[in-house]
Amino acid sequence: MPIQFVNFSKEDFLSKKVLHRYMPLEYALKMLNEKALWFASPQSWKDPFEKRFISAKFKIGAMEQDFPWKDKVFCYCSTQTYTSEAYWNTYSRGQVGIEFMINRQVLLEELEKISKDLDVYIGRVEYMLTKNIKKSLSSIP
């Protein structure tokens, strides 16, 4: 299946050359040594609002159930912002970390290879006010 773009287009994604990724030194060394990117389960994220979709209960018909793909979703987070203190504080350890600049075209080519076997989505996060996040998931755009 081709890569699906959420909240923006492939052209928008490729309109800038790089993405930025911050991480603790030991993760950076492991990534370089293994020549691999790390995709994490949202269940492991600290921020309850960022993982709300995966830990929420969904009403399907008359039944309420867990997110159907709860153990099958893995994410790679990066930022378009070169200097993002919030991102740096979240992904570095004690404000000590490494920044990687990742070429978007190269990343897209690698993701296209794995999209033959897996569903791949690239999306832009929209940060919202807490009062708007605390609504029913179905009412959040």
Side-chain angles (χ1 to χ4, degrees), residues 34-45:
E34 295 178 3
K35 297 179 182 174
L37 295 178
W38 172 256
F39 287 77
S41 168
Q43 294 179 81
S44 69
W45 296 349

Side-chain angles (χ1 to χ4, degrees), residues 26-38:
E26 62 271 20
Y27 292 3
L29 293 173
K30 183 177 180 178
M31 187 175 91
L32 288 171
N33 197 30
E34 295 178 3
K35 297 179 182 174
L37 295 178
W38 172 256

